[in-house]
Amino acid sequence: MASSGQMEASALAVMVNERAAVNVRLALVSDAQRWQLHHGLVTLDDDAPVKERSWRYSTACFLELRLPGREVAALLRGEGHVHGLHIVCPGPLPSTASTYRLSGRQEWGRVTTPWPRTEWTLSRDTSAPHPGHGLLVGDGPSFLNFDQALSAFLHQRPHDANAGREDMWRIVLPQRAAWFPQITISPDLLTAVVEGEALDGAILELSWAAGNQSQSVDGAGTYSFALPQGLAPDSLLMLRREDQWLDWRSFPAPTYGRARDASVVWEQPGPELDVLLANGEGQHLECKQEVPQGDSRKKMLKTVAAFASRDGGTVLIGVRDDLQIVGLPEGSNVDKQELQVVDMIRDNLEPAPPYETRVIDYDGKKVLAIEVSGGGQMYAYRNGQRPEFYVRVGPNTVPARHHEIAAGFRRAPTVTAL
């Protein structure tokens, strides 16, 4: 099966109609005497319980409930009644739905599941009015605006300007035939845990540029591949049946600031650190011998802000400028030093940047990594009451220019003043 394609919207409605019941989350905006659909998330999963919720405001409504498939199919066709509300879809409905097949742990549209899934999306009419930016106060939590409420309701996460809802409908079909709940990679062994509801005839294959290994899967359990030369760059672990993939994971070289796959456990931190240091300090890497104190803190905090304002990056503490790994001071309290860094970032950067801290063990030494993701907006270092903005240019952190700051704020979420 291809990873993407198209499906007739009418056929999608028929598929939903044939379901006895589906889980659905609806985001609605008021339209005179009716409610207009802004976004619908449908999960075709008989095993997932739903906790019914209803947030109602004068201009918006958010519903989570389990409905008969025929009621949701009616909405997919343009109009229906749900929970005592008359709901219509804005503008002309698209004739086709985009189809995507995703592996387990793959995030798309802020949705991530442990197992693979197929998703269909129906785009919103571009002429449809956007919900207002006013405060939402009513029978539900209060929010600054509709977008913040939508992100909290769908994902329990803060609003992200880069995660706009261009789709009117998203239909999710979990596929638990075969999947990887966990993969462990050690210096000389890859171990994969395989689970699933239909594992007959499945093949487990590890491929890399110079070759591949494969073995039959005879049921749920643990399977291993020897790695006499370690895991090769850009390796691919595939769970398949003949020419149809069931689940997969790829293992590119570590990327600065990239979010980590929670299902993959790395037990070879030394080689990973070697890869990070291979090209030296640059656009996405800054090294510090120790946790900075006093005036030297500002330089590190400016760099964290610069990483977050662009494409992300990593600060390594316990590595000298000449890339010599010295580790954190012996006998020091690593947890306390990690907390110091967290406190520095919290007290001096606005808004809070997207980052994670972790400790890497390397030949008996401990290195503290601050992995910063690109946040899609500008992040400021607070110098007293004055915000300062920075960007990364090669190995240097420099003040952002006016046009760079303006572009960053155009990417930022819209916030309504209280």
Side-chain angles (χ1 to χ4, degrees):
M1 179 178 179
S3 295
S4 62
Q6 297 288 322
M7 180 177 181
E8 292 295 323
S10 57
L12 184 60
V14 169
M15 182 180 70
V16 173
N17 186 76
E18 292 174 347
R19 294 269 174 165
V22 299
N23 296 342
V24 62
R25 296 180 186 178
L26 301 174
L28 314 172
V29 293
S30 61
D31 176 26
Q33 301 301 314
R34 304 174 304 179
W35 287 93
Q36 191 174 92
L37 178 73
H38 179 75
H39 180 72
L41 174 61
V42 180
T43 305
L44 309 178
D45 192 349
D46 296 333
D47 297 328
V50 62
K51 181 179 180 180
E52 296 198 355
R53 294 184 292 163
S54 175
W55 297 352
R56 297 202 183 199
Y57 311 92
S58 60
T59 59
C61 181
F62 300 86
L63 300 173
E64 180 173 8
L65 61 168
R66 189 163 178 82
L67 293 175
R70 65 178 182 278
E71 292 188 15
V72 179
L75 289 179
L76 285 168
R77 296 184 179 107
E79 187 171 1
H81 290 81
V82 172
H83 217 55
L85 304 178
H86 180 204
I87 302 172
V88 298
C89 295
L93 295 175
S95 60
T96 59
S98 298
T99 306
Y100 304 88
R101 190 164 180 233
L102 301 111
S103 66
R105 296 289 181 182
Q106 187 173 350
E107 180 175 358
W108 184 67
R110 307 200 87 183
V111 175
T112 305
T113 62
W115 43 80
R117 65 194 188 278
T118 299
E119 297 197 7
W120 296 268
T121 61
L122 290 166
S123 299
R124 182 184 299 109
D125 179 17
T126 56
S127 64
H130 190 277
H133 294 292
L135 286 163
L136 293 185
V137 181
D139 187 14
S142 299
F143 294 95
L144 284 174
N145 53 50
F146 181 90
D147 286 344
Q148 287 193 3
L150 179 64
S151 188
F153 187 78
L154 292 180
H155 311 297
Q156 294 77 54
R157 290 164 61 179
H159 170 57
D160 181 348
N162 291 335
R165 293 251 68 91
E166 297 300 330
D167 44 282
M168 182 170 59
W169 283 104
R170 182 182 297 273
I171 294 92
V172 181
L173 175 63
Q175 294 175 325
R176 303 189 184 91
W179 54 287
F180 297 121
Q182 183 171 300
I183 299 162
T184 303
I185 301 170
S186 64
D188 58 358
L189 192 70
L190 183 150
T191 303
V193 177
V194 176
E195 293 186 6
E197 301 168 348
L199 292 167
D200 292 346
I203 299 292
L204 188 61
E205 179 183 12
L206 179 65
S207 302
W208 61 98
N212 72 313
Q213 304 179 52
S214 64
Q215 55 184 291
S216 298
V217 174
D218 56 10
T222 301
Y223 298 83
S224 298
F225 290 101
L227 304 174
Q229 305 299 322
L231 184 69
D234 294 326
S235 294
L236 175 67
L237 183 67
M238 178 69 66
L239 189 57
R240 62 180 175 84
R241 182 180 294 110
E242 297 180 345
D243 61 350
Q244 302 292 311
W245 68 263
L246 303 170
D247 199 4
W248 57 267
R249 296 289 189 279
S250 63
F251 308 103
T255 300
Y256 312 115
R258 184 179 59 199
R260 297 185 169 273
D261 182 346
S263 67
V264 179
V265 178
W266 291 84
E267 293 185 346
Q268 48 172 357
E272 181 191 19
L273 192 56
D274 288 337
V275 172
L276 287 172
L277 294 172
N279 295 319
E281 288 188 307
Q283 185 79 19
H284 303 287
L285 183 66
E286 176 85 7
C287 298
K288 299 291 181 185
Q289 182 169 337
E290 59 186 4
V291 176
Q293 303 295 327
D295 293 340
S296 63
R297 300 192 314 171
K298 179 178 179 180
K299 183 177 180 181
M300 185 191 76
L301 292 167
K302 291 191 304 183
T303 297
V304 172
F307 283 157
S309 296
R310 285 287 181 85
D311 302 322
T314 298
V315 178
L316 295 176
I317 300 177
V319 180
R320 295 193 322 213
D321 290 343
D322 62 2
L323 306 185
Q324 180 69 31
I325 300 171
V326 296
L328 299 173
E330 292 187 11
S332 61
N333 186 319
V334 175
D335 291 341
K336 184 177 180 179
Q337 294 192 66
E338 189 172 3
L339 182 59
Q340 286 178 353
V341 171
V342 171
D343 288 342
M344 283 183 217
I345 295 174
R346 181 192 62 203
D347 295 341
N348 294 280
L349 300 185
E350 294 182 2
Y355 76 98
E356 293 182 1
T357 61
R358 66 188 182 102
V359 177
I360 301 175
D361 290 312
Y362 184 93
D363 196 22
K365 301 181 179 72
K366 295 187 181 298
V367 174
L368 177 59
I370 307 166
E371 298 176 321
V372 186
S373 300
Q377 66 177 79
M378 295 300 292
Y379 292 82
Y381 169 76
R382 178 67 67 177
N383 187 1
Q385 295 301 313
R386 187 180 76 249
E388 298 177 358
F389 299 93
Y390 296 89
V391 294
R392 192 76 168 172
V393 179
N396 301 311
T397 298
V398 300
R401 298 177 180 178
H402 291 300
H403 73 273
E404 293 171 322
I405 298 173
F409 277 106
R410 283 196 294 270
R411 299 194 304 268
T414 301
V415 178
T416 302
L418 292 171

